[in-house]
Amino acid sequence: MTALPQLSELTVSEKLQMMESFVWHGEILVQRENALRQGSDHFSAWDTAKANIRNASAKE
């Protein structure tokens, strides 16, 4: 696992990029939560998700 740099080591530009990515991620989480509430999305068990990923990768 790669260690993250200390905040004090980042440039202003890098800090802004990080903040923007958190905003983007928050928006995606809100969309996902809404989809779950509306019933248009669902969760899978981790073992099922891994098997689905393996199967999809094997077909490529």
Side-chain angles (χ1 to χ4, degrees):
M1 188 156 133
T2 305
L4 295 174
Q6 293 293 317
L7 193 56
S8 60
E9 296 173 355
L10 298 175
T11 66
V12 172
S13 177
E14 290 169 328
K15 290 175 187 176
L16 289 172
Q17 287 175 347
M18 284 184 91
M19 289 175 19
E20 289 173 357
S21 70
F22 288 128
V23 170
W24 171 86
H25 189 244
E27 291 170 355
I28 296 299
L29 291 175
V30 168
Q31 291 172 6
R32 181 75 191 269
E33 185 176 9
N34 289 338
L36 289 168
R37 286 184 182 163
Q38 294 170 358
S40 60
D41 203 351
H42 68 281
F43 287 105
S44 297
W46 179 235
D47 289 337
T48 302
K50 287 190 295 186
N52 291 341
I53 293 168
R54 284 190 191 109
N55 290 337
S57 297
K59 293 177 183 177
E60 292 180 359

